[in-house]
């Protein structure tokens, strides 16, 4: 959390506890309206209201403060959140690199911290590529890519109906409806209905994408690019991901060459979200 918030809380929270106030937190939204998502350690529970109000005074666009009540869980990769202060309506319009994403962090997965990664993928995409974005959430990847590469055609598959509905709205908001199609459903089931192959397939589901490699590889054109995300221990960040991907290509009688290894973000001192790109 910023120095401003700690200073705002001086004299309100005892000195020894003040150091426990977070230094950084996620803000989702725009200059007009944003939601802050914070973690409140047990020792600060009595002061959570004071912390939330201090945050809103310092960061004037923050209209609601939510506290993380659990880790990400379940197929939708959402978490329990509790409103500590502010507006109970936590739907926002998040702005990022010329795009706008409407979403409610209470019902969908979205990470503002992954903007740089989305930019890297948009840069790597060839204009004219046909792409498949599995696990597409509210659509940040297909929309960033389509905005960057006007010749791209993208299909986005998402299981969470809230996220899918936001994706449909976001496609419209960003005026990429002629190039991006959103499909609601399980990747495994939707894959059977697609009837074509892709130049580039994205698998942004670090905890579980490997279970869908048998679906993804047959949908990739020969020589196409697979962007595979994985949850990996810091002592061996890419080994398991590479083995899984290479084995999936071998199953199809193809050989994968790993062309890129990226540390995307750190979950905890021991675990990372990583991406490997494979061509095959
Ligand atoms: C880690 S989130 C990433 C969302 C989005 N790509 C983003 O970057 O914001 C993974 C998403 O995959 C979706 N998902 C999980 N299992 C799925 C499945 N079998 N078929 C389709 N979507 C699935 C979840 O609902 C969630 O929105």
């Amino acid at each position: 959390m910023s120095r401003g918030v700690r200073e705002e809380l001086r004299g309100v929270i005892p000195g020894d506890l003040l150091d426990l106030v977070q230094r950084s937190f996620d803000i989702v939204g725009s200059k007009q309206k944003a939601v802050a998502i914070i973690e409140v350690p047990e020792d600060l529970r009595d002061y959570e209201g004071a912390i939330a109000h201090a945050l809103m005074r310092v960061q004037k666009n923050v209209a609601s403060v939510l506290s993380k009540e659990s880790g990400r869980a379940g197929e939708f990769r959402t978490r329990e959140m509790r409103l500590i202060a502010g507006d109970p309506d936590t739907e926002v319009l998040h702005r990022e690199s010329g795009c706008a994403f409407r979403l409610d962090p209470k019902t969908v997965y979205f990470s503002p911290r992954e903007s740089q990664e989305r930019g890297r993928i948009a840069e790597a995409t060839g204009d004219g590529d046909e792409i498949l974005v599995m696990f597409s959430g509210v659509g940040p990847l297909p929309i960033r890519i389509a905005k960057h590469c006007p010749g791209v055609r993208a299909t986005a598959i998402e299981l969470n109906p809230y996220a899918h509905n936001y994706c449909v709205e976001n496609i419209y908001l960003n005026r990429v409806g002629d190039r991006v199609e959103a499909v609601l459903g399980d990747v495994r089931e939707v894959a059977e209905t697609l009837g074509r192959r892709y130049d580039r397939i994205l698998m942004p589901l670090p905890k579980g994408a490997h279970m869908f490699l048998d679906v993804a590889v047959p949908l990739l054109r020969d020589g196409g690019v697979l962007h595979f995300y994985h949850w990996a221990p810091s002592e061996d960040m890419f080994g398991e991901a590479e083995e899984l991907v290479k084995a999936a290509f071998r199953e199809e009688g193809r050989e994968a060459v790993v062309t890129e290894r990226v540390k995307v973000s750190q979950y905890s001192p021991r675990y990372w979200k990583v991406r490997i790109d494979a061509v095959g």
Side-chain angles (χ1 to χ4, degrees):
M1 204 169 281
S2 69
R3 243 178 99 238
V5 176
R6 283 195 181 177
E7 266 156 20
E8 193 75 19
L9 289 164
R10 216 169 284 283
V12 178
I13 296 182
D16 53 331
L17 291 181
L18 207 52
D19 290 344
L20 298 178
V21 174
Q22 267 177 281
R23 282 197 177 280
S24 67
F25 49 92
D26 282 342
I27 292 193
V28 188
S30 63
K31 283 184 189 147
Q32 284 70 40
K33 183 190 175 192
V35 171
I37 301 164
I38 69 172
E39 279 178 67
V40 184
E42 204 48 51
D43 289 348
L44 286 178
R45 283 276 159 162
D46 290 347
Y47 300 100
E48 64 178 26
I51 295 170
H53 283 106
L55 200 163
M56 289 195 288
R57 281 196 301 277
V58 168
Q59 195 103 12
K60 299 259 185 273
N61 59 331
V62 171
S64 322
V65 180
L66 294 171
S67 94
K68 293 182 185 173
E69 297 289 304
S70 74
R72 292 199 179 279
E75 281 183 309
F76 297 167
R77 308 307 299 150
T78 49
R79 62 167 100 243
E80 294 289 314
M81 304 236 211
R82 185 170 52 85
L83 183 75
I84 302 180
D87 189 348
D89 175 4
T90 50
E91 186 179 82
V92 290
L93 190 68
H94 183 80
R95 294 198 182 275
E96 173 182 301
S97 197
C99 299
F101 308 124
R102 196 178 304 284
L103 65 112
D104 184 340
K106 287 205 303 261
T107 58
V108 300
Y109 176 98
F110 181 77
S111 173
R113 296 183 203 190
E114 288 168 13
S115 172
Q116 206 186 353
E117 168 64 3
R118 291 189 268 276
R120 280 192 291 257
I121 294 284
E123 289 285 337
T125 302
D127 207 2
D129 281 0
E130 279 198 66
I131 66 170
L132 177 64
V133 182
M134 298 177 157
F135 322 113
S136 46
V138 303
L141 277 163
I143 291 169
R144 283 281 300 267
I145 294 168
K147 279 279 216 187
H148 187 74
C149 310
V152 152
R153 298 194 75 81
T155 302
I157 309 174
E158 171 56 46
L159 186 63
N160 176 351
Y162 291 104
H164 166 76
N165 288 342
Y166 280 126
C167 186
V168 171
E169 186 174 349
N170 291 331
I171 288 169
Y172 170 79
L173 276 176
N174 291 279
R175 298 192 175 88
V176 291
D178 54 337
R179 288 169 277 146
V180 184
E181 181 195 13
V183 184
L184 172 65
D186 185 319
V187 156
R188 192 167 286 283
E189 287 163 22
V190 175
E192 287 175 15
T193 69
L194 294 171
R196 69 182 125 122
R197 295 167 89 202
Y198 297 85
D199 301 305
R200 195 173 288 274
I201 298 183
L202 281 74
M203 303 185 76
L205 178 67
K207 276 201 161 177
H210 63 97
M211 290 185 288
F212 296 85
L213 277 166
D214 64 320
V215 178
V217 175
L219 290 173
L220 189 70
R221 284 202 182 116
D222 291 343
V225 183
L226 185 75
H227 298 289
F228 175 76
Y229 291 83
H230 198 52
W231 164 277
S234 44
E235 60 272 17
D236 178 16
M237 291 215 235
F238 302 105
E240 190 175 63
E242 289 191 25
E243 269 174 39
L244 288 162
V245 167
K246 285 181 173 167
F249 275 80
R250 269 198 307 274
E251 278 292 309
E252 290 296 312
R254 295 161 68 171
E255 193 186 339
V257 176
V258 174
T259 55
E260 193 85 45
R261 297 166 183 83
V262 180
K263 287 155 63 176
V264 177
S265 56
Q266 194 165 16
Y267 285 114
S268 67
R270 279 206 58 224
Y271 282 93
W272 283 77
K273 173 178 189 164
V274 300
R275 163 168 57 87
I276 64 162
D277 297 348
V279 175

